[in-house]
Amino acid sequence: MSSYDARFRVWRGDTEGGGLEDFTVEVNDGEVVLDIIHRIQATQAGDLAVRWNCKAGKCGSCSAEINGRPRLMCMTRMSVFDRDETITVTPLRAFPVVRDLVTDVTFNYTKAREVPAFVPPEGVKAGDYRMQQVDVDRSQEFRKCIECFLCQDTCHVVRDHEENKKAFAGPRFLMRVAELDMHPLDAAAESGLDRKATAQEEHGLGYCNITKCCTEVCPEHIKITDNALIPLKERAVDRKYDPLVWLGNKIGRRRDAP
């Protein structure tokens, strides 16, 4: 096994501020960035804070920015960098720093709670749901999400405009709305909940300008923009502006009037 010394710059600090600290550290064949961060932690900076869990690209815990790009540290191989390159590791920029590489992602859990849950069909018990595969093909892709929040971090609506956070759920949770809206058994509409309308009016769908940056950083290769956000936008626009839909709603309201 061959090894070499690599140069790392790692952000150190807390809520009061901080800066980049330089390290020279051994790298062995087959290692990933998280291995090197652990080596720095074990040999040079025992108090370095880093969040991780599975080390297999499935828990989403070790999200960070590596040379400015949001990535999972456990899935970023050292072999993708030149040996003489200085590798910079910083916390997710869109969220407040707790300490070093650990950020406070409470924003995402707050937004998750704001998305109304799946509404089961009336009269069908849990465990008795039946769906055809063809009916779930479109939305099944979205279930691969590991909630690493890299898409949330790279979305410029969240990243560059703190004032947007109150009104914008971000790509991960707009994708959740799209998933539920596509669900063949979701009975939200029957209970009076219009997911397309709430996406536009409560979750900030209109803020998304489909730059596809969320798709580019997704470690599960989910086509967030093309398969979730754009179709959701199209359905929301049809619901609000299509003249035939508008006329149908108008007639329906008149029929319901006393």
Side-chain angles (χ1 to χ4, degrees):
M1 179 183 292
S2 64
S3 63
Y4 66 96
D5 286 340
R7 296 191 303 276
F8 266 68
R9 303 192 77 198
V10 181
W11 198 90
R12 304 295 310 278
D14 53 28
T15 55
E16 302 300 319
L20 293 169
E21 188 173 331
D22 293 317
F23 298 94
T24 299
V25 59
E26 181 184 27
V27 175
N28 300 310
D29 288 342
E31 291 188 318
V32 295
V33 169
L34 185 59
D35 291 320
I36 311 309
I37 293 296
H38 283 164
R39 185 165 295 128
I40 292 172
Q41 191 182 52
T43 62
Q44 301 181 54
D47 61 344
L48 174 62
V50 56
R51 183 182 284 137
W52 69 284
N53 189 14
C54 74
K55 205 179 177 183
K58 293 301 176 185
C59 74
S61 300
C62 65
S63 300
E65 297 193 8
I66 303 171
N67 288 355
R69 183 181 176 86
R71 297 173 180 258
L72 293 178
M73 288 188 283
C74 72
M75 298 301 288
T76 305
R77 294 198 171 276
M78 289 300 299
S79 58
V80 303
F81 305 107
D82 293 333
R83 291 194 171 193
D84 59 353
E85 183 177 356
T86 299
I87 300 166
T88 302
V89 184
T90 54
L92 298 178
R93 201 179 91 186
F95 310 115
V97 171
V98 176
R99 188 173 142 208
D100 299 338
L101 300 178
V102 177
T103 53
D104 181 354
V105 292
T106 300
F107 164 79
N108 300 291
Y109 299 112
T110 300
K111 293 301 176 182
R113 287 192 293 270
E114 292 174 359
V115 176
F118 169 75
V119 179
E122 187 176 354
V124 182
K125 297 179 182 178
D128 290 342
Y129 303 153
R130 297 294 181 267
M131 297 176 288
Q132 296 293 322
Q133 183 60 43
V134 67
D135 293 327
V136 298
D137 278 339
R138 291 184 68 201
S139 62
Q140 193 167 10
E141 171 190 16
F142 311 142
R143 301 293 292 182
K144 297 191 298 179
C145 175
I146 61 174
E147 296 203 329
C148 59
F149 304 130
L150 294 181
C151 63
Q152 299 283 91
D153 178 61
T154 199
C155 177
H156 65 91
V157 180
V158 175
R159 185 183 182 93
D160 298 330
H161 303 279
E162 184 70 24
E163 68 277 10
N164 288 339
K165 285 186 176 181
K166 288 184 179 180
F168 184 63
R172 190 278 170 267
F173 300 106
L174 285 171
M175 181 175 71
R176 174 64 174 159
V177 175
E179 176 195 336
L180 291 168
D181 192 47
M182 294 177 186
H183 199 297
L185 293 183
D186 182 61
E190 286 76 3
S191 65
L193 173 63
D194 187 338
R195 294 196 186 277
K196 291 173 277 292
T198 59
Q200 188 77 17
E201 297 163 10
E202 298 177 21
H203 305 303
L205 180 62
Y207 283 87
C208 171
N209 58 9
I210 59 176
T211 57
K212 301 189 181 184
C213 50
C214 51
T215 298
E216 290 175 4
V217 299
C218 178
E220 288 293 328
H221 308 292
I222 302 170
K223 292 182 172 59
I224 302 171
T225 311
D226 288 341
N227 292 351
L229 304 188
I230 290 176
L232 184 60
K233 276 178 170 282
E234 290 171 344
R235 293 195 300 275
V237 168
D238 284 347
R239 183 76 180 81
K240 191 168 185 177
Y241 299 111
D242 186 290
L244 293 179
V245 173
W246 177 85
L247 182 60
N249 290 336
K250 198 80 169 176
I251 293 172
R253 283 196 295 270
R254 284 180 178 174
R255 284 176 177 171
D256 294 338

